[in-house]
Amino acid sequence: MLFKAIYLLPLLPAIGVLINGLLGKRFGEKTVAFVACTSVGLSLILAIGILHQMLIASPAERVITSSLYRWISDGSLQINVGFLIDPLAIAMIMVILFVGFIIHFYSIGYMEGEPGYRRFFVHLNLFIFFMLILVMGDNLILTFVGWEGVGLCSYLLIGHWYEKKSASDAGRKAFVVNRVGDFGFMLGIFLVIVTFNTVNFVELKTILAGNHGIPTVTLAIISLLLFTGAVGKSAQFPLHVWLPDAMEGPTPVSALIHAATMVNAGVYFMCRIFPFLQQSQFVLPIIALVGMITAVYAACCAVGQKDIKKVLAYSTISQIGYMFMAVGCGIYVAGMFHLVAHGIFKGLLFLGSGAVIHAVKGEQDIVNMGGLIKTIPVTAITFLIGLLALAGIFPMVGFFSKDAIIMGGYETYGIVYWLFGFGGAILTALYCGKLFGMAFLGESNFTGHVHKPNFFFKAPLVILAVCAVFLGILGIPMFTKNTYFAQFMGSSFNLGAGGHAAAGHGIPLSLEIAFTLILSVFAIAAIVLALFMYSKHRKTMVDFESRHKGLMMFLLKGFWIDKLYDTIWVRPLKWISFYSDSVCDHRIVDGAVNGTGKIAMEVGKTLSRMQTGYVRYYAVSIVFGVFVLVGITMMFLF
């Protein structure tokens, strides 16, 4: 019965947007928050019901389609407004709505008394609506509508405090950088239409599962173009530069958009178009390479950060890099499992960072914190759980999801990929230990009064922490590809008749266990060492970083990639814009228009002198005109 009501999932948040958007001026803050939270909460309850029905249904019955109406019709090309929900979609929907509802609840306390309170919740609801459209759309066009919608909401929410220049600049930067990837996304859609004459996911999967005869090069180009869009949306190298700056938005925005949902959209989309990737033998290694580079690069940058939110921002970029590694290795289920796990523990960490920032009255530099575990113990303990999950420490959920990806890299591409994955994991453990050691342990460097979080802060942290501890159950039985999560997701990744370009050859169980133990031991050693050094020997580590200021600044500034882009792209484009405005527009275009007007004015002034009012002058003018007219006529006739 619930399957027939799937359109209510995006409709309920849309109703929340309309109520608060149109009538919210008459409401108080509590009413606005109640409407926003209720709309998302009802969608979450409905999604849980749909998930339950899927769990009890057979794998063949876990695909739900619903077409509302015909949207675009051009000859044989028919595009509907329709929804597709399968295990892949419902997993993403649950992350969106579960984490989204918790963040809505958290925002009640975090945004209390802030200007633009109603606008903030309207934009949050609108984001949830577009995110659900992106995930539920049964065709590329409808997915692109949601894709662009969440981009718009990201711009609005990052720049929520628009009177603050850094926030408005960050919103604009996110919008512009994403347009680069979206241009490739649009080209990919156009090429799909030209090649297949359909954009429906089910129809495309059916075509690609048969003997379609479409050249591999065409499929590879489509895959790369669509992957470009995913790189921009998921902040992967080299289009990652917008995400660290996006931390200028309110912390709930960072948690919802830039940790738990929107940045994961690229990974979800790559999994959705896996039939293309399956038959594009040259594309999967490229995706894996981009993910590997991003994972290690962003982890290095996170080590050098001092802002608590920017540490988590670079961590997000790194972890999504691992998800792209999974996609590039062809282990889509592992990528989706890490997506779900990351949504939980990174949402926890961002909300925890918000509680910390609120407690220390807006301070974000971890050097100026310390000793907070004594004053805000609930926040500290839940934050530690999130960091352990991020570092992949057993038995947290991150251990199960990240281990599967790193081993998948070894199985598919060999020891080099395993070493890079291993290195990224150790760096992750180091910055997790540094972050907790400096912010929560040791002596306090904060001189003011610490404001203790209230119920609206602590309840979401506890719920997400419990999930981070127990969600790893989905990753058992270990050392197999037939985990509980894989059993549920399997029907979404039925590869059909085609082979897989990145199929692994399998590794001995003993070797996999040995690699897992090695990684775990080194990760635990790294996080313990960092905890000890940055808490007990805090001054020594700060002095060490000061002595290596060049290296730390290199990491802090993200390898100066922003400065490189500013030199290569921004400044030349600004110069071209200035030249076009000052020379082409003002001098040439405006000069031609204004010059024509001036000539007309001067001619008019000259001719006006002939208007003397004397009849004899007019008679002479008429006679002169007659002679001129006759002369011209004679010239043409003879």
Side-chain angles (χ1 to χ4, degrees):
M1 185 67 179
L2 291 176
F3 288 174
K4 298 179 181 180
I6 59 175
Y7 65 90
L8 290 176
L9 287 173
L11 179 61
L12 290 168
I15 292 173
V17 172
L18 292 175
I19 293 175
N20 278 334
L22 298 177
L23 306 175
K25 286 186 177 181
R26 306 175 186 178
F27 300 159
E29 286 188 353
K30 291 183 179 179
T31 305
V32 168
F34 175 78
V35 171
C37 292
T38 301
S39 64
V40 177
L42 291 175
S43 282
L44 174 60
I45 293 171
L46 177 59
I48 292 172
I50 294 173
L51 174 62
H52 176 261
Q53 290 196 2
M54 278 194 172
L55 288 171
I56 62 177
S58 64
E61 298 174 340
R62 290 175 179 171
V63 178
I64 311 165
T65 57
S66 176
S67 181
L68 298 183
Y69 61 88
R70 179 64 48 79
W71 182 19
I72 301 172
S73 181
D74 182 17
S76 59
L77 176 64
Q78 307 293 327
I79 302 175
N80 298 330
V81 171
F83 298 134
L84 165 66
I85 297 184
D86 58 359
L88 172 62
I90 198 65
M92 189 70 179
I93 289 170
M94 288 302 301
V95 173
I96 295 168
L97 291 175
F98 178 68
V99 180
F101 175 74
I102 288 177
I103 291 171
H104 274 70
F105 183 81
Y106 176 94
S107 300
I108 296 174
Y110 191 90
M111 297 300 293
E112 184 178 6
E114 290 283 347
Y117 189 89
R118 177 177 68 96
R119 172 166 52 88
F120 178 81
F121 275 99
V122 168
H123 291 162
L124 277 188
N125 273 177
L126 187 63
F127 171 81
I128 295 292
F129 166 76
F130 278 121
M131 197 69 207
L132 290 172
I133 293 296
L134 187 160
V135 173
M136 294 173 58
D138 71 350
N139 61 78
L140 283 166
I141 302 297
L142 192 57
T143 295
F144 187 70
V145 171
W147 191 273
E148 292 300 292
V150 295
L152 170 64
C153 293
S154 173
Y155 166 77
L156 295 172
L157 286 165
I158 295 170
H160 176 74
W161 292 316
Y162 57 85
E163 68 281 356
K164 184 180 175 184
K165 186 177 185 302
S166 58
S168 59
D169 287 348
R172 183 169 60 251
K173 183 177 182 180
F175 195 81
V176 171
V177 173
N178 271 275
R179 298 289 72 73
V180 177
D182 293 350
F183 179 69
F185 193 110
M186 287 189 289
L187 291 179
I189 293 175
F190 295 151
L191 188 54
V192 169
I193 293 174
V194 171
T195 305
F196 295 92
N197 200 37
T198 182
V199 290
N200 185 275
F201 291 124
V202 175
E203 294 177 2
L204 290 171
K205 184 177 180 180
T206 302
I207 293 171
L208 290 171
N211 296 321
H212 48 75
I214 297 170
T216 303
V217 174
T218 302
L219 298 177
I221 293 173
I222 291 173
S223 300
L224 286 173
L225 289 172
L226 296 177
F227 174 60
T228 304
V231 167
K233 190 67 72 182
S234 291
Q236 294 296 280
F237 185 88
L239 299 180
H240 65 284
V241 291
W242 65 270
L243 186 59
D245 290 358
M247 297 302 108
E248 290 291 340
T251 300
V253 173
S254 303
L256 179 64
I257 297 181
H258 308 116
T261 53
M262 191 190 85
V263 291
N264 291 333
V267 179
Y268 164 81
F269 183 68
M270 287 292 98
C271 291
R272 176 59 72 194
I273 63 165
F274 86 97
F276 288 95
L277 306 181
Q278 165 195 344
Q279 300 183 29
S280 305
Q281 55 183 335
F282 303 111
V283 175
L284 285 170
I286 294 174
I287 296 174
L289 180 63
V290 170
M292 182 183 70
I293 292 172
T294 305
V296 178
Y297 157 78
C300 291
C301 295
V303 172
Q305 302 303 308
K306 296 181 180 180
D307 186 312
I308 186 171
K309 287 177 67 176
K310 286 200 173 182
V311 174
L312 299 178
Y314 276 107
S315 170
T316 294
I317 297 171
S318 178
Q319 295 306 303
I320 297 175
Y322 278 105
M323 299 176 205
F324 274 96
M325 277 183 64
V327 171
C329 293
I331 46 176
Y332 307 107
V333 172
M336 282 301 299
F337 186 33
H338 196 53
L339 183 154
V340 174
H342 179 263
I344 296 297
F345 63 69
K346 190 54 66 67
L348 167 61
L349 290 171
F350 266 110
L351 296 187
S353 72
V356 171
I357 294 168
H358 185 266
V360 294
K361 300 179 180 178
E363 179 62 63
Q364 295 186 203
D365 191 336
I366 57 176
V367 177
N368 298 327
M369 298 178 188
L372 292 177
I373 193 170
K374 301 173 185 176
T375 51
I376 48 174
V378 174
T379 302
I381 293 171
T382 54
F383 200 87
L384 178 60
I385 291 173
L387 288 175
L388 292 175
L390 172 60
I393 305 300
F394 184 85
M396 305 301 170
V397 63
F399 168 80
F400 296 91
S401 59
K402 189 181 292 185
D403 178 72
I405 294 173
I406 295 175
M407 291 310 303
Y410 173 76
E411 180 182 352
T412 307
Y413 296 114
I415 191 65
V416 173
Y417 272 71
W418 185 88
L419 288 172
F420 273 92
F422 174 84
I426 301 306
L427 289 170
T428 301
L430 283 173
Y431 68 69
C432 286
K434 174 185 176 180
L435 177 55
F436 193 82
M438 294 197 76
F440 293 96
L441 302 180
E443 296 181 0
S444 175
N445 281 353
F446 181 69
T447 56
H449 172 71
V450 176
H451 181 73
K452 295 186 178 181
N454 59 25
F455 174 76
F456 289 106
F457 284 87
K458 292 189 288 188
L461 298 180
V462 173
I463 293 171
L464 289 173
V466 171
C467 293
V469 173
F470 292 104
L471 204 64
I473 294 172
L474 298 177
I476 58 176
M478 290 185 62
F479 309 119
T480 71
K481 295 182 180 179
N482 194 33
T483 62
Y484 294 144
F485 188 77
Q487 291 174 25
F488 175 69
M489 296 289 290
S491 59
S492 291
F493 298 110
N494 180 10
L495 299 179
H500 201 286
H505 301 291
I507 56 177
L509 177 61
S510 58
L511 183 61
E512 184 171 1
I513 294 175
F515 276 177
T516 301
L517 289 175
I518 291 171
L519 177 59
S520 297
V521 169
F522 274 87
I524 293 172
I527 197 169
V528 170
L529 177 63
L531 280 170
F532 178 76
M533 294 301 295
Y534 281 97
S535 59
K536 296 295 183 180
H537 301 280
R538 181 194 192 98
K539 188 176 183 302
T540 302
M541 296 306 297
V542 172
D543 291 341
F544 174 81
E545 292 184 0
S546 298
R547 290 195 304 271
H548 298 83
K549 190 174 181 179
L551 173 61
M552 298 309 296
M553 186 60 65
F554 182 68
L555 299 177
L556 181 69
K557 295 297 183 180
F559 293 20
W560 299 106
I561 297 294
D562 263 315
K563 188 172 183 179
L564 177 65
Y565 286 175
D566 184 67
T567 303
I568 296 176
W569 297 107
V570 178
R571 291 183 182 179
L573 287 174
K574 281 185 176 180
W575 182 84
I576 293 171
S577 299
F578 175 78
Y579 179 83
S580 299
D581 176 63
S582 61
V583 177
C584 297
D585 189 28
H586 286 152
R587 295 186 181 181
I588 298 177
V589 178
D590 287 353
V593 174
N594 295 334
T596 302
K598 288 180 180 179
I599 292 173
M601 290 291 292
E602 293 300 323
V603 171
K605 288 179 181 179
T606 302
L607 294 177
S608 68
R609 294 172 186 165
M610 298 176 62
Q611 307 298 318
T612 61
Y614 293 105
V615 175
R616 59 181 178 273
Y617 287 123
Y618 296 156
V620 171
S621 300
I622 292 171
V623 172
F624 178 74
V626 169
F627 274 105
V628 171
L629 180 62
V630 171
I632 294 173
T633 304
M634 295 291 290
M635 182 179 65
F636 281 100
L637 290 177
F638 302 100

